């Protein structure tokens, strides 16, 4: 993609600026999100897995395939906003010290289309490098030659790129990224933040979107009790009377998904709606109260996750919906056709419709999540 190549040429400048950008809020550079008279359409890109096996012919071909999927979905749906639902890169397969260039490529289709977006982290995004077995020799793994101590380099290569560095490379002041480092007291859990969507008639919020880091990679696959308390404080501050509808995004499904899941490899029947059900739910390692907090808020309408490539269903849970996206990237496991979940939200009266848009242009699995 030409836009991505142009941005790659500016990589040295971005690296030089990354330290300053890491703690800099992009709010001053971006416009408020707002409903249009026709509503708000959101595309969910999940599990892109850029950078896999880059030393082979297969790896770059998968990245090119992911470029095509996103371009096809953006062209067919023309969304107002994009959410990247984690695992943008496969850091454990990246034999380079800095994954930011692959991260930049993952978001380039949206950026070049002038569409605003937000990201959450997945379990592969900052996972340590795993040495391929065919790199071993009878003498063992060749030694890694580190820079001399006098150089201002903190470590060697293959270290993975920490969440904060990946986020810093994304929030570059162009006003399109709505992502955030989140509160420092939640780090190393980084992508925890809320976005308001204003009414098309006035400057009052008409919907709230919450983004949470479900862990994995450099730390356990959980949404911690600290994150739950943050959500409770934030939602009480932004929406004290529960008047404003709320939707939630994170990467790894909660244990609640396993409770409502259709039996793996069985037909998806109502009230669940979807097209692929090829595996068991692989949930977070533990449940620390997040689902209890959501269920207690009637304003929460739906939760959207990725992670399981062989699932794309939505199922009701208590008074809200639990939805998988659709495996978008050609990287990652599974040979199922690629696509993206689309979420169409109407402001007045508030409603949420969703469907899957495939790489080949077809559309299926229409479902009403709120009306």
């Amino acid at each position: 993609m030409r836009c991505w190549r142009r941005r790659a040429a500016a990589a040295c400048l971005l690296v030089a600026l990354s330290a300053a950008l890491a703690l800099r809020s992009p709010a001053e550079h971006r416009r408020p999100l707002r409903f249009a008279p026709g509503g708000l359409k959101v595309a969910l890109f999940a599990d892109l897995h850029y950078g896999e096996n880059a030393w082979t012919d297969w790896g770059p071909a998968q990245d090119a395939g992911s470029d095509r999927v996103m371009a096809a979905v953006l062209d067919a749906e023309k969304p107002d906003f994009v959410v990247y639902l984690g695992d943008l890169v496969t850091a454990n397969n990246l034999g380079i010290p800095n994954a930011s260039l692959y991260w930049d490529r993952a978001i380039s289709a949206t950026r070049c289309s002038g569409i605003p977006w937000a990201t959450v982290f997945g379990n592969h995004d900052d996972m340590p490098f795993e040495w391929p077995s065919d790199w071993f020799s009878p003498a063992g793994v060749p030694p890694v030659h580190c820079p001399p101590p006098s150089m201002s380099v903190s470590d060697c290569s293959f270290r993975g790129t920490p969440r904060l560095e990946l986020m810093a490379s994304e929030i570059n002041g162009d006003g399109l990224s709505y992502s955030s480092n989140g509160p420092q007291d939640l780090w190393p859990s980084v992508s925890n933040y809320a976005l308001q969507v204003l009414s098309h008639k006035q400057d009052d919020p008409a919907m709230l979107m919450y983004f949470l880091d479900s862990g994995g990679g450099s730390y356990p696959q959980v949404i911690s009790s600290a994150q739950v308390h943050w959500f409770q404080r934030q939602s009480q501050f932004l929406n004290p009377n529960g008047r404003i509808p709320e939707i939630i995004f994170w990467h790894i499904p909660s244990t609640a998904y396993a409770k409502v899941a259709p039996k793996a490899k069985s037909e998806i029947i109502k009230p669940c709606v979807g097209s692929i059900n090829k595996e068991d739910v692989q949930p977070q390692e533990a449940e620390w109260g997040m689902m209890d907090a959501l269920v207690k808020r009637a304003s929460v309408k739906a939760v959207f996750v990725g992670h399981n490539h062989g699932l794309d269903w939505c199922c009701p849970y208590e008074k809200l919906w639990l939805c998988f996206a659709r495996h978008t990237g050609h990287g990652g496991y599974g040979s199922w056709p690629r696509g993206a979940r689309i979420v169409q939200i109407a402001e007045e009266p508030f409603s949420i419709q969703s469907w899957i848009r495939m790489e080949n242009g077809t559309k299926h699995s229409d479902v009403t999540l709120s009306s």
Side-chain angles (χ1 to χ4, degrees), residues 98-161:
N98 191 329
S100 295
L101 290 179
Y102 282 101
W103 188 275
D104 192 53
R105 180 171 180 178
I107 60 178
S108 65
T110 302
R111 173 179 271 142
C112 290
S113 298
I115 301 170
W117 77 88
T119 58
V120 294
F121 285 108
N123 53 300
H124 283 278
D125 288 319
D126 72 344
M127 189 176 287
F129 181 74
E130 298 173 355
W131 289 86
S133 59
D134 57 357
W135 286 20
F136 285 74
S137 67
V141 178
V144 176
H145 297 286
C146 299
S150 59
M151 294 184 65
S152 58
V153 177
S154 60
D155 49 31
C156 302
S157 59
F158 309 125
R159 62 180 174 82
T161 306

Side-chain angles (χ1 to χ4, degrees), residues 236-290:
Q236 181 62 27
F237 173 74
L238 295 172
N239 195 16
N241 58 10
R243 179 186 58 83
I244 307 170
E246 300 167 318
I247 57 177
I248 316 294
F249 303 94
W250 65 67
H251 179 69
I252 304 175
S254 67
T255 56
Y257 275 77
K259 295 177 181 178
V260 301
K263 184 178 179 181
K265 301 183 180 179
S266 68
E267 180 184 359
I268 300 171
I269 60 175
K270 291 190 175 183
C272 298
V273 177
S275 70
I276 56 171
N277 182 37
K278 301 298 186 182
E279 59 181 329
D280 291 317
V281 174
Q282 300 297 318
Q284 298 166 29
E285 296 173 18
E287 172 63 54
W288 290 92
M290 191 65 212

